[in-house]
Amino acid sequence: MNKLLVHEILTDAAYQWGSIPVLGPQHSYTYEQIYERVLRLANKLEQLGVGRGTVVGVIDVNSHRYFELQYALSLIGAVIHTINYRLPLHDMLWTIRHAHDEWVFLNRQFDDLVEYLSPLVPHIVFMDPSGYMEEPDYETLIAEGKMRIPDSAQTISPTDTYSVFYTTGTTGLPKGIRYTHEQMLMGALQIAHHLALHDTGAKLTNNDVIMPLIPFFHIHGWGTPFIAPYLGLRLVFAERSGPSEQLELIDRYHVSWLNMVPTQLFMLLDEMIKNGSKQRSFKVLTGGSPLSNGLAQRAEQMGISFSLIYGGSDQLGSAISAVSQLSCEPRFLSLATTVTPLPMVRVEVRNDAGEQMIADGQSLGELWIQSPWLPAGYYNNPEESAKAYQDGWFRTGDLGVRYPDGRFQVMDRRKDAIKSGGEWIASTVIESVISEVPGVQAVAVIAKADSKWGERPYAVVQASQEVTEITLRTALQSAVDDGRLSKFWIPERFVFIERLSQVSWNFASVS
């Protein structure tokens, strides 16, 4: 690699690992073939006027075509906008206007969006053939392109903007973040280095087969489109598939490493148990919401090892758990959610005045992050940028504790935590302990106004009939005795309901 540019990752993979396959439900290519398709696509797009600084949106599931676009646009200096199609329609269209998309590549399963996109975007290209669009489809562009490196590739700088994506907008309109080539690759490759160095649940080896289930609109699938070719690993795309089809792909292609949010892990485990599926030995990198101890124990019982990643759109990946061995005993399992910063990442816990707190594993404060790939702020949003990015640090809005050896544990979102008697209570930690109790199906810990303490925690629980308030208080007191909870964190009251339709975990997103 001459420069730290995204497309050079694939160029090197085609040279070093040309015969390694890139697979899907209905296709099989090699890195060398993918590289040839990327060259043709890049040349044709350049002929059509796509070039340096052109913003190109993509609405697609994880597929080989989406994988190729991330490299083809890099070759001609365009900016890829990984559009989050799970946003509310109003918010999604707002991000397209805000990013100034000139082209959108659209999976045909989203063709109901065409009527909304057409007034906003000059060019729409379907990823698969379509009979009613004036624009050529994706495969036609490749067929008409020349297989040579575009001349413009030599003019691209590592500091040029490579991609733009948006936060989920839970506290207002989504916020845009732009990353350069070098920022994106430094963040992604440090994840690979961390997972290769540490003997942890999601350790990467040169024999692994990767299937990313984190959508590419979430920080480029946590960097997997760059990590797999960088390491020369086989890559499998699940495309639009549910747990049953995902398990079939895992078996067919001997997938050994996946990334997913805890909800996806829950669904995959549920499918395995429901169908009496055999145990499978694969590794999972998970994050995006808290991993409850109950879910972690179920994963281990089914032969699945895991690591937890911490980060978000505003900061990329920042830390991953680095534990050599787990135990199903909850007091040991909590180690799995204690994360170690990636190389070159600094983490501090600060109080409300912005002062650094003691790294004693007990002092709860806001996490501040610093790294070489941290952006300067939000795109065209100076007000929000000033709040979150200060003197080269990012204020995460997450509460956590830091240990003397540098590890830290994320407890809760600051806006969701409970302030009782001037002290923070992490509701997600209480939820995790309660989830371990046999018979508990779902739990949410909420804040209730209190005249004396300001706020006190209340637990809303969906459970079988044998679970009582005494059962839960006994379990929580045991967690206090083990040092996992402070005594004043035990909920003031327990409310049992028939069905908890939705639990909002509100953890920092790597989504």
Side-chain angles (χ1 to χ4, degrees):
M1 294 174 63
N2 296 323
K3 302 176 183 176
L4 203 58
L5 300 171
V6 167
H7 58 264
E8 291 193 338
I9 294 288
L10 185 62
T11 303
D12 186 65
Y15 176 75
Q16 301 280 5
W17 329 102
S19 62
I20 298 295
V22 176
L23 305 158
Q26 297 178 332
H27 76 268
S28 175
Y29 293 102
T30 64
Y31 280 127
E32 184 175 16
Q33 291 170 328
I34 291 285
Y35 180 61
E36 293 172 357
R37 287 168 57 84
V38 164
L39 289 179
R40 292 183 183 277
L41 179 60
N43 273 277
K44 183 60 179 179
L45 288 175
E46 192 173 49
Q47 290 175 29
L48 294 172
V50 181
R52 192 164 183 168
T54 305
V55 182
V56 179
V58 186
I59 302 177
D60 193 11
V61 296
N62 289 5
S63 68
H64 71 280
R65 294 185 175 108
Y66 203 160
F67 176 69
E68 292 163 352
L69 265 171
Q70 293 176 79
Y71 288 100
L73 296 175
S74 169
L75 267 167
I76 54 179
V79 178
I80 183 170
H81 174 197
T82 55
I83 299 172
N84 183 349
Y85 55 79
R86 291 180 183 161
L87 287 174
L89 179 61
H90 172 272
D91 285 2
M92 184 181 70
L93 297 176
W94 185 89
T95 68
I96 291 169
R97 288 193 296 268
H98 189 262
H100 306 293
D101 291 10
E102 297 180 45
W103 292 67
V104 167
F105 282 75
L106 185 70
N107 186 303
R108 193 165 54 180
Q109 72 186 65
F110 302 106
D111 61 5
D112 58 333
L113 295 175
V114 171
E115 64 175 298
Y116 303 102
L117 295 173
S118 295
L120 299 178
V121 182
H123 306 282
I124 299 174
V125 178
F126 272 104
M127 300 293 257
D128 31 18
S130 172
Y132 66 90
M133 293 295 295
E134 294 182 4
E135 302 283 356
D137 62 70
Y138 184 92
E139 292 297 333
T140 300
L141 293 178
I142 289 179
E144 294 178 352
K146 297 178 181 179
M147 200 181 73
R148 66 180 182 84
I149 299 174
D151 295 336
S152 58
Q154 304 303 318
T155 68
I156 301 167
S157 166
T159 57
D160 287 347
T161 300
Y162 166 68
S163 73
V164 58
F165 39 85
Y166 286 77
T167 65
T168 52
T170 54
T171 56
L173 287 171
K175 297 186 286 289
I177 307 102
R178 298 198 299 179
Y179 286 95
T180 66
H181 286 258
E182 63 183 7
Q183 286 173 326
M184 181 55 61
L185 287 186
M186 279 193 292
L189 300 187
Q190 289 290 33
I191 291 174
H193 295 159
H194 181 107
L195 291 171
L197 287 171
H198 294 282
D199 186 18
T200 184
K203 183 178 179 65
L204 273 173
T205 72
N206 61 355
N207 295 317
D208 277 317
V209 180
I210 290 182
M211 186 165 81
L213 296 184
I214 294 296
F216 286 158
F217 60 71
H218 278 314
I219 321 177
H220 294 267
W222 298 351
T224 45
F226 317 124
I227 291 171
Y230 174 72
L231 297 176
L233 302 181
R234 283 178 291 171
L235 188 56
V236 178
F237 294 119
E239 299 189 8
R240 189 178 188 180
S241 62
S244 178
E245 295 86 359
Q246 291 164 7
L247 287 174
E248 192 276 328
L249 288 170
I250 289 170
D251 291 339
R252 189 200 311 179
Y253 294 129
H254 307 290
V255 173
S256 60
W257 193 98
L258 305 94
N259 63 9
M260 63 188 79
V261 297
T263 301
Q264 291 173 298
L265 178 58
F266 178 89
M267 294 170 64
L268 206 59
L269 287 169
D270 195 50
E271 183 69 26
M272 293 168 66
I273 295 169
K274 181 175 65 177
N275 294 329
S277 299
K278 64 187 179 190
Q279 285 195 351
R280 291 168 174 83
S281 179
F282 55 81
K283 299 172 282 189
V284 170
L285 181 64
T286 188
S289 62
L291 179 68
S292 70
N293 285 351
L295 180 56
Q297 290 177 61
R298 287 181 64 200
E300 287 214 311
Q301 289 163 5
M302 294 299 291
I304 298 171
S305 61
F306 62 89
S307 297
L308 186 74
I309 187 170
Y310 173 76
S313 301
D314 330 66
Q315 57 179 296
L316 299 182
S318 292
I320 301 175
S321 58
V323 180
S324 60
Q325 193 171 15
L326 296 177
S327 166
C328 283
E329 293 183 54
R331 60 196 178 95
F332 293 125
L333 190 57
S334 62
L335 293 173
T337 59
T338 304
V339 289
T340 299
L342 299 180
M344 304 176 72
V345 174
R346 290 188 64 189
V347 179
E348 291 184 359
V349 176
R350 300 191 184 186
N351 59 22
D352 291 344
E355 301 165 335
Q356 186 173 353
M357 302 175 72
I358 299 172
D360 57 3
Q362 297 180 355
S363 300
L364 190 62
E366 184 179 4
L367 297 173
W368 291 48
I369 302 288
Q370 188 182 69
S371 74
W373 50 88
L374 201 66
Y378 296 115
Y379 178 47
N380 282 346
N381 194 338
E383 183 178 342
E384 291 297 326
S385 297
K387 294 177 184 176
Y389 295 90
Q390 297 182 11
D391 300 323
W393 291 83
F394 173 63
R395 298 187 61 173
T396 66
D398 296 323
L399 294 175
V401 297
R402 189 165 179 265
Y403 297 90
D405 62 2
R407 296 175 302 135
F408 66 97
Q409 188 167 8
V410 185
M411 299 295 194
D412 212 343
R413 287 292 289 168
R414 184 184 178 116
K415 64 183 179 65
D416 298 319
I418 299 165
K419 198 69 173 284
S420 185
E423 300 290 340
W424 290 111
I425 295 176
S427 58
T428 57
V429 176
I430 305 171
E431 290 168 348
S432 185
V433 172
I434 293 175
S435 76
E436 300 162 11
V437 176
V440 172
Q441 294 145 2
V443 56
V445 174
I446 60 176
K448 185 81 166 69
D450 186 274
S451 58
K452 180 179 180 180
W453 301 106
E455 291 180 333
R456 289 296 297 151
Y458 276 48
V460 182
V461 184
Q462 175 187 328
S464 56
Q465 290 185 349
E466 63 267 19
V467 178
T468 66
E469 181 172 334
I470 294 175
T471 307
L472 299 180
R473 287 193 179 278
T474 300
L476 289 165
Q477 183 58 52
S478 179
V480 171
D481 296 340
D482 288 340
R484 300 171 62 200
L485 298 179
S486 295
K487 188 174 180 60
F488 77 97
W489 286 23
I490 295 179
E492 198 77 16
R493 185 182 170 194
F494 296 84
V495 179
F496 292 89
I497 60 174
E498 289 186 6
R499 181 165 183 78
L500 193 62
S501 60
Q502 184 177 6
V503 178
S504 179
W505 296 107
N506 289 319
F507 191 73
S509 174
V510 189
S511 128

